[in-house]
């Protein structure tokens, strides 16, 4: 287990420079176009695949980096480049982590490579959990998975919403109810393999920001998947359900395993928010040094300079929370104060505030699409909503600190 350190080693620095180069040279010049088109930027994903930046190998290397900082560093640089394109590149990783968290070794080896495809034939993955009536309240999920013993198949029915890459992915990971009596303890995750009948894309959403990332409903109409598509396998599921039923009978409360997974994955989302905030701050700093009003650069006014000082302080604080939680996840430290949620909460809020301040510093130019901060501000707004809203992060932190079932 690596000690927590703020110094990246030479190899990490080289990887960061490499990602930064791609973000600056390929993503940034394409950002405005794909934001306007509101389409998945396939050519940029293909470029990323060609150099190995969109690949299972690269993410596995960063995911298992013993310092824990690999994924945080990767996310920050990509999202510094552009958040919409960044999400199109890393959306697959969300589905891959769903398989990694619950799947057997064989399932991991079979399905994750199919989510990425290869440089000549790039594919995507999608993680489908949210539903129209089950957003923050996952226990209200209705999509049903029923086992058909005669054919050893699971039959999925329901409608998922807000799925990143939903309907255009090669492999979908779908969370569904297998035992409605058990609330969120009665859920299981399934692979829906490429080309499976009955899975279709519903409405594609037109969004405020991250518009280069595809977000859509996914409709499951009698979708039949082989028994082997249940992540973790039937035996493990039956054992888990039996334990949950026993606990429900005895009234025993146990720690939610899914919560631990969320704590470990939330810092990666926080790191994306840090990348957007840093990008907007840099534009604002440069502008404030060069824009002259009343015969001097606007940064000569404390009112502007102090804003920049606060912006930089908040960004650095957000990064420190993200790095701490990332290291804790990798070192297997218990999240006794919901440090993962803390990092996502703070970084998301900082991204929203800092990008708004950046627009203010750019004045009228900040409000136009001639400059990138307006897009960055629209992109930042999702970071207090998805992967658990800011309110839900506060709920998790407050419950963890107090031990009380705060509602
Ligand atoms: C662009 C985008 C991409 C997404 N990608 C995915 C994806 O790939 N896969 C996926 O499964 N989902 C995805 N989501 C869904 C996302 O995670 C949900 O939108 C989010 O969890 C919130 O759920 P909701 O939208 O239903 O809001 P609601 O849960 O209806 O919340 C509405 C408001 O009420 C507040 N609220 C709710 N309950 C409480 C409470 N107990 N206390 C205080 N406040 C509360 C919320 O904080 C929020 O402000 C995505 C969403 C978007 C917009």
């Amino acid at each position: 287990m690596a000690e927590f350190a703020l110094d990246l080693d030479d190899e990490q620095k080289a990887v960061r420079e490499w990602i930064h180069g791609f973000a600056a040279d390929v993503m940034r010049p394409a950002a405005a176009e794909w934001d306007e088109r509101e389409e998945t930027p396939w050519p940029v994903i293909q470029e990323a695949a060609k150099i190995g930046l969109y690949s299972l190998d690269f993410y596995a290397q960063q995911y298992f980096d013993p310092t824990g900082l690999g994924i945080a560093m990767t996310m920050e640089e990509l999202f510094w480049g552009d958040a919409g394109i960044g999400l199109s590149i890393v959306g697959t990783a969300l589905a891959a982590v769903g398989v990694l968290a619950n799947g057997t070794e064989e399932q991991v080896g079979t399905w994750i490579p199919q989510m990425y495809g290869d440089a000549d034939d790039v594919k995507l993955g999608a993680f489908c959990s949210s539903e129209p009536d089950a957003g923050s309240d996952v226990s209200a999920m209705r999509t049903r998975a029923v086992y058909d013993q005669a054919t050893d198949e699971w039959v999925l029915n329901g409608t998922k919403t807000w799925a990143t890459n939903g309907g255009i992915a090669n492999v979908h990971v779908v969370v569904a109810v297998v035992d409605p009596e058990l609330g969120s303890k009665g859920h299981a995750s399934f692979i829906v393999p490429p080309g499976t009948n009955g899975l279709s894309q519903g409405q594609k959403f037109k969004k405020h920001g991250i518009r280069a990332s595809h977000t859509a409903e996914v409709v499951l109409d009698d979708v039949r998947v082989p028994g082997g598509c249940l992540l973790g396998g039937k035996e493990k599921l039956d054992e888990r359900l039996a334990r949950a039923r026993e606990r429900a009978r005895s009234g025993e409360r146990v720690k939610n395993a899914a919560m631990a997974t969320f704590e470990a994955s939330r810092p990666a989302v926080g790191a994306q928010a840090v990348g957007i905030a840093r990008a907007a701050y840099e534009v604002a700093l440069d502008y404030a040094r060069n824009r002259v009003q009343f015969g001097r650069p606007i940064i000569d006014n404390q009112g502007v300079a102090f804003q920049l000082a606060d912006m930089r302080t908040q960004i650095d604080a957000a990064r420190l929370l993200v790095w701490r939680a990332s290291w804790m996840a990798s070192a297997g430290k218990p999240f006794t104060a919901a440090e993962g949620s803390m990092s996502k909460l703070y970084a998301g809020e900082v991204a929203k505030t800092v990008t708004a301040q950046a627009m203010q510093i750019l004045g009228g130019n900040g409000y136009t699409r001639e400059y990138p901060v307006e897009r960055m501000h629209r992109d930042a707004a999702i970071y207090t909503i998805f992967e658990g809203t800011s309110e839900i992060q506060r709920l998790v932190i407050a419950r963890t600190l107090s031990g009380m079932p705060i509602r």
Side-chain angles (χ1 to χ4, degrees), residues 132-187:
D133 292 326
S136 302
D137 181 8
V138 182
S139 66
M141 189 178 287
R142 288 200 205 139
T143 295
R144 195 75 167 88
V146 176
Y147 186 56
D148 181 346
Q149 202 154 9
T151 58
D152 182 27
E153 286 176 320
W154 286 90
V155 187
L156 307 182
N157 277 292
T159 300
K160 293 292 176 183
T161 194
W162 307 122
T164 300
N165 298 337
I168 60 167
N170 200 35
V171 178
H172 290 76
V173 177
V174 173
V175 186
V177 177
V178 289
D179 185 337
E181 305 283 305
L182 293 174
S184 59
K185 304 274 187 312
H187 296 174

Side-chain angles (χ1 to χ4, degrees), residues 280-304:
Y281 156 79
E282 286 175 7
V283 175
L285 177 63
D286 185 54
Y287 193 89
R289 280 182 175 142
N290 292 298
R291 171 71 176 166
V292 174
Q293 286 294 279
F294 301 100
R296 57 187 186 163
I298 57 170
I299 199 169
D300 271 5
N301 302 290
Q302 279 190 354
V304 174

Side-chain angles (χ1 to χ4, degrees), residues 352-393:
K352 238 169 112 169
T353 319
V354 162
T355 51
Q357 285 174 310
M359 276 174 68
Q360 188 65 22
I361 290 171
L362 266 69
N365 281 331
Y367 199 64
T368 70
R369 294 197 181 176
E370 297 300 308
Y371 285 78
V373 290
E374 169 273 341
R375 185 182 67 250
M376 291 167 182
H377 186 51
R378 284 188 285 109
D379 292 346
I382 192 63
Y383 284 86
T384 61
I385 298 173
F386 72 0
E387 295 286 317
T389 65
S390 285
E391 292 74 25
I392 295 303
Q393 310 297 339

Side-chain angles (χ1 to χ4, degrees), residues 40-365:
T40 301
W42 287 103
V44 185
I45 304 174
Q46 275 152 3
E47 285 291 303
K50 265 190 211 139
I51 62 164
L53 187 47
Y54 182 76
S55 72
L56 169 59
D57 280 356
F58 174 69
Y59 286 95
Q61 215 173 33
Q62 299 313 312
Y63 192 83
F64 294 110
D65 165 23
T67 69
L69 303 184
I71 287 287
M73 175 189 88
T74 301
M75 295 294 177
E76 181 176 333
E77 288 316 309
L78 283 176
F79 284 71
W80 174 89
D82 180 61
I85 298 176
L87 201 63
S88 280
I89 292 176
V90 307
T92 298
L94 180 66
V97 168
V99 178
L100 208 56
N102 300 302
T104 62
E105 250 177 63
E106 196 190 335
Q107 288 169 328
V108 168
T110 304
W111 298 112
I112 300 186
Q114 293 194 46
M115 289 180 183
Y116 282 94
D118 55 48
D120 297 323
D121 187 15
V122 165
K123 305 286 189 202
L124 300 171
F127 180 74
C128 312
S129 171
S130 302
E131 296 182 5
D133 292 326
S136 302
D137 181 8
V138 182
S139 66
M141 189 178 287
R142 288 200 205 139
T143 295
R144 195 75 167 88
V146 176
Y147 186 56
D148 181 346
Q149 202 154 9
T151 58
D152 182 27
E153 286 176 320
W154 286 90
V155 187
L156 307 182
N157 277 292
T159 300
K160 293 292 176 183
T161 194
W162 307 122
T164 300
N165 298 337
I168 60 167
N170 200 35
V171 178
H172 290 76
V173 177
V174 173
V175 186
V177 177
V178 289
D179 185 337
E181 305 283 305
L182 293 174
S184 59
K185 304 274 187 312
H187 296 174
S189 298
F190 298 85
I191 293 286
V192 180
T196 302
N197 284 337
L199 183 148
S200 60
Q201 183 187 303
Q203 179 190 0
K204 178 187 168 186
F205 295 103
K206 287 183 82 69
K207 305 194 299 293
H208 176 64
I210 51 163
R211 298 197 302 178
S213 167
H214 171 103
T215 316
E217 288 177 332
V218 172
V219 180
L220 302 144
D221 182 13
D222 274 335
V223 171
R224 287 186 162 264
V225 297
C229 286
L230 164 67
L231 288 176
K234 182 90 168 53
E235 204 176 311
K236 216 168 139 196
L237 172 70
D238 288 341
E239 284 169 18
R240 180 163 66 76
L241 294 178
R243 276 199 306 272
R245 285 184 198 115
E246 185 48 41
R247 284 187 190 121
R249 264 193 296 275
S250 67
E252 184 194 346
R253 289 186 55 193
V254 284
K255 280 208 170 120
N256 189 341
M259 274 302 163
T261 312
F262 284 140
E263 284 303 312
S265 64
R266 280 180 176 152
V269 184
Q272 298 170 4
V274 171
I276 303 170
R278 191 184 108 211
Y281 156 79
E282 286 175 7
V283 175
L285 177 63
D286 185 54
Y287 193 89
R289 280 182 175 142
N290 292 298
R291 171 71 176 166
V292 174
Q293 286 294 279
F294 301 100
R296 57 187 186 163
I298 57 170
I299 199 169
D300 271 5
N301 302 290
Q302 279 190 354
V304 174
F306 282 11
Q307 274 195 72
L308 285 157
D310 283 347
M311 287 158 76
R312 176 59 193 265
T313 305
Q314 288 169 5
I315 293 166
D316 282 12
R319 185 184 301 105
L320 284 171
L321 285 176
V322 164
W323 281 23
R324 175 180 72 166
S326 304
W327 169 75
M328 287 176 72
S330 139
K333 300 268 178 202
F335 289 97
T336 50
E339 290 88 344
S341 295
M342 264 187 209
S343 71
K344 196 271 174 179
L345 166 65
Y346 190 70
E349 296 286 337
V350 163
K352 238 169 112 169
T353 319
V354 162
T355 51
Q357 285 174 310
M359 276 174 68
Q360 188 65 22
I361 290 171
L362 266 69
N365 281 331

